[in-house]
Amino acid sequence: RFPLVARAILTPRGARGGAALGSRVARRSVRMRLPLLPYRKPTPGRDYWVIDDALPDAEALRARCLARTDWIEGWPHKPESWPGLRSIPALDAAELAHVEALVRQATGAKKLWVETVGDGTRLNHNCVQVVGAGECEPRPHTDSLALCRYAAVLYLNPAAPEDCGTAFYRQRLPGGQRGGNFVSPPHRNLVEALGTRFVPPDAFAEDVRVPNRFNRLLLYRANLIHSATGYCGRTLEDKRMAAVFFWMA
């Protein structure tokens, strides 16, 4: 089985729940029943934006992150559904204001804010994440439309391989055909749109890849199916380090 993941949240804590699919035949039948999503080719300047040299001093930010002692541990350090290490806030107020100005300029949005739903649930906005080789695999997902319209990742390891970036995905249908790549209302995320948390491991095909580059900000529409493409390193200094952001607009 291959669990679909919604973006992990601060509260309440995520869980691994869900029933396993059965035999190979059962998995195939589930895949055949999955709804067909709409498709729109991810296009720079419309669906995603690549902003290089995003911060004036990304080296200082990385140095602060490496010196942190307030990491929250995920798998394999703790029995969590999310991988690696996390800490909030990643950017200081001035750095965050600079990034948000870039986002408003790129998207044309007049106002950005961090959404919170009625029970206090919110996304891990302005969070630095560190994930090493073997700690996770690509997990195609969308972010919650109830909580964000745009999402972004800022790559913070100058030595990370290019293939530890981010990709946009689309459905892989039986027979090798391709399906859709985004969710829309009334669905708030990919799990709701497909009606299940579990799909075959080959349910998605990579469509567009953006390489990892130090101090690159990748901004994208949160309803696109996306995932990190890979992870690297065994030490804090060598692992894939990135800050993630989620905005309503």
Side-chain angles (χ1 to χ4, degrees):
R1 63 181 184 172
F2 185 88
L4 291 174
V5 294
R7 180 69 70 175
I9 53 179
L10 292 178
T11 56
R13 182 170 294 179
R16 288 183 182 270
L21 300 180
S23 66
R24 180 180 300 177
V25 173
R27 289 197 298 269
R28 185 182 298 117
S29 64
V30 167
R31 179 169 62 178
M32 293 176 66
R33 291 198 301 267
L34 292 178
L36 181 64
L37 301 177
Y39 178 75
R40 184 168 77 168
K41 181 71 174 181
T43 302
R46 184 190 69 184
D47 304 302
Y48 71 96
W49 299 260
V50 177
I51 304 172
D52 286 330
D53 303 319
L55 287 178
D57 192 358
E59 290 82 2
L61 170 58
R62 174 172 167 80
R64 295 201 315 270
C65 290
L66 290 173
R68 299 186 81 127
T69 59
D70 59 347
W71 297 106
I72 301 172
E73 296 180 326
W75 193 89
H77 315 285
K78 297 288 178 62
E80 295 284 359
S81 60
W82 52 270
L85 304 172
R86 296 179 175 180
S87 186
I88 296 176
L91 279 63
D92 64 25
E95 292 165 338
L96 184 59
H98 179 82
V99 166
E100 290 186 339
L102 295 175
V103 173
R104 290 194 301 270
Q105 180 180 15
T107 63
K110 295 182 179 180
K111 179 182 179 182
L112 302 173
W113 69 95
V114 178
E115 187 65 278
T116 302
V117 295
D119 63 355
T121 297
R122 62 188 177 91
L123 294 170
N124 281 321
H125 175 69
N126 192 22
C127 173
V128 58
Q129 302 178 343
V130 178
V131 183
E135 294 181 353
C136 193
E137 67 289 328
R139 296 182 177 182
H141 65 281
T142 63
D143 302 312
S144 174
L145 293 181
L147 291 168
C148 63
R149 181 177 178 184
Y150 297 107
V153 56
L154 176 66
Y155 304 115
L156 291 173
N157 183 352
E162 287 189 350
D163 61 3
C164 290
T166 303
F168 301 109
Y169 292 77
R170 63 186 301 185
Q171 290 174 295
R172 189 199 308 269
L173 305 177
Q177 296 174 312
R178 298 293 187 259
N181 67 335
F182 70 94
V183 302
S184 57
H187 307 299
R188 295 171 296 177
N189 55 51
L190 188 57
V191 174
E192 290 185 3
L194 296 182
T196 179
R197 288 186 59 85
F198 295 95
V199 298
D202 61 347
F204 301 101
E206 191 174 308
D207 194 14
V208 174
R209 175 179 288 217
V210 178
N212 187 317
R213 176 178 171 181
F214 181 62
N215 201 19
R216 167 175 285 174
L217 181 72
L218 171 62
L219 169 67
Y220 49 90
R221 294 187 182 275
N223 64 340
L224 286 170
I225 302 174
H226 61 276
S227 173
T229 52
Y231 300 94
C232 59
R234 302 292 178 184
T235 67
L236 184 66
E237 292 79 9
D238 297 333
K239 292 180 179 182
R240 184 186 193 267
M241 177 183 289
V244 295
F245 312 88
F246 307 94
W247 295 281
M248 274 296 194

